[in-house]
Amino acid sequence: METLNDMVAGFLVGLQGSTHEAYRIVLRSWLAWCSVNGIDALHARSMHVEAFTSRRGRNGKPTLRSKRNAISIIDLFYRYLVAEGFTDRNPAVNVRRPRIVYHSQGSFLNREQASAFLREAHASDSLTDALCTLLLLTGCRISEALGLKIEDCHLDDDVPWVLFHRKFDWMQRVAIPKQVVDALRRHIGRRKHGRVFKAKRGGRMYGENCAGLISSVALNVGVPDITPHSLRRSFCTLSRDAGIPDKDIMAAGGWKTPQMLEYYDMSARSMSGIVGNGLQEFLAEE
């Protein structure tokens, strides 16, 4: 008979990296809270989830984001338990999630900076070239790039493509342009199997390593504060500037709704200065 710890392990088995750790911490805390309060986790009720998530956080005061995340993780866990037949109820399904309105400007590359960034990456080593080119020209997340295997790269097809393991555990084939094909071919060389991106000593490459690499390339062309996710934002905003239809951008970037496109685009445009400068010039004409 499986224990609750076995059930958690089964739920987490398909998750990786920071997502795996974040989910594990929430579920471990939830089960511990249930145990302390004499609650059978398999028969918990919505009021228990509400009570637990209302007390999580520093000094017992959770942020709206931490509360929302905890509810979502518990909800997903119980969906798994119901599907596997361990329980017949999901206590989180009707728990109201706090609405969050949050705008983070983040950082972006404009058209000129993006072109200079790609040239600088290409002039570097093959790993840097392949990683930077893939991130900027496909808009994939850093976790999706690092999860890419050589077997997922179909560079010789009539329409070259790669297979991304997307966030929330779904797979997607995405066509890639010639510049990405060339960079990947150069980096992969004669290798036939294994991860595309590995640390220089042959071990697993992590997001922190990539962040430093990408930041260095950006600094070499005079752009500070560029992260792996900055390249995903830039992919979105520059694709829109290029006149590419939103549906195509969404499909390539793995977005299921246009909300993130609007979010990124608004953040970039708010820093363009077009409105303020245009209004200033208009008023100066009087």
Side-chain angles (χ1 to χ4, degrees):
M1 183 175 180
E2 294 198 53
T3 66
L4 282 169
N5 286 333
D6 293 331
M7 296 173 194
V8 171
F11 171 69
L12 296 176
V13 71
L15 304 178
Q16 298 178 349
S18 59
T19 301
H20 182 284
E21 182 63 13
Y23 280 37
R24 186 187 67 82
I25 289 172
V26 169
L27 294 177
R28 183 182 62 184
S29 298
W30 161 245
L31 295 181
W33 183 88
C34 286
S35 178
V36 168
N37 289 278
I39 298 165
D40 180 354
L42 292 180
H43 295 87
R45 299 173 63 183
S46 58
M47 67 180 189
H48 298 141
V49 177
E50 184 71 51
F52 167 72
T53 56
S54 295
R55 288 166 173 74
R56 294 191 75 251
R58 294 182 179 179
N59 302 318
K61 297 180 180 179
T63 63
L64 292 179
R65 184 171 296 278
S66 68
K67 180 175 181 178
R68 185 182 179 89
N69 288 345
I71 294 171
S72 297
I73 291 169
I74 293 171
D75 179 33
L76 289 172
F77 175 56
Y78 278 93
R79 287 174 186 265
Y80 165 78
L81 295 184
V82 171
E84 293 295 317
F86 295 123
T87 184
D88 59 358
R89 66 173 65 186
N90 178 355
V93 70
N94 292 319
V95 176
R96 290 168 293 184
R97 291 155 173 75
R99 185 171 181 269
I100 299 172
V101 179
Y102 175 69
H103 291 290
S104 173
Q105 292 299 122
S107 53
F108 302 80
L109 295 172
N110 62 30
R111 183 181 180 182
E112 180 182 358
Q113 291 167 342
S115 295
F117 179 86
L118 290 175
R119 288 194 298 269
E120 179 67 21
H122 184 64
S124 186
D125 59 87
S126 66
L127 184 152
T128 301
D129 184 24
L131 182 65
C132 291
T133 304
L134 180 72
L135 290 172
L136 182 55
L137 295 184
T138 70
C140 67
R141 299 175 180 85
I142 187 61
S143 60
E144 295 164 352
L146 294 183
L148 198 64
K149 297 180 180 178
I150 294 173
E151 298 92 324
D152 298 328
C153 300
H154 299 259
L155 308 182
D156 296 319
D157 284 18
D158 291 339
V159 177
W161 57 279
V162 295
L163 181 67
F164 286 130
H165 190 154
R166 293 294 195 188
K167 186 177 181 181
F168 303 122
D169 201 23
W170 61 288
M171 309 298 290
Q172 184 186 23
R173 297 191 303 175
V174 176
I176 54 176
K178 184 178 184 301
Q179 197 166 346
V180 175
V181 173
D182 291 344
L184 287 174
R185 200 187 302 279
R186 173 189 173 202
H187 177 59
I188 292 171
R190 296 184 178 181
R191 290 188 291 142
K192 300 296 182 183
H193 306 285
R195 292 183 181 273
V196 172
F197 299 107
K198 300 190 295 184
K200 291 185 177 179
R201 293 185 178 181
R204 183 173 180 178
M205 193 171 190
Y206 292 93
E208 308 87 73
N209 309 120
C210 301
L213 184 153
I214 288 163
S215 176
S216 296
V217 173
L219 284 172
N220 286 342
V221 296
V223 188
D225 302 322
I226 294 298
T227 68
H229 206 71
S230 303
L231 303 185
R232 183 165 168 83
R233 297 189 193 100
S234 302
F235 165 82
C236 171
T237 57
L238 293 173
S239 294
R240 273 193 158 186
D241 289 345
I244 298 169
D246 281 359
K247 286 187 176 180
D248 293 318
I249 301 172
M250 289 167 56
W255 289 290
K256 295 183 179 179
T257 70
Q259 290 177 329
M260 288 308 298
L261 272 65
E262 296 290 348
Y263 173 63
Y264 288 151
D265 201 32
M266 181 180 70
S267 297
R269 290 182 183 280
S270 70
M271 290 297 291
S272 68
I274 293 175
V275 176
N277 292 331
L279 180 57
Q280 175 181 278
E281 293 176 8
F282 174 74
L283 296 175
E285 294 174 359
E286 288 296 313

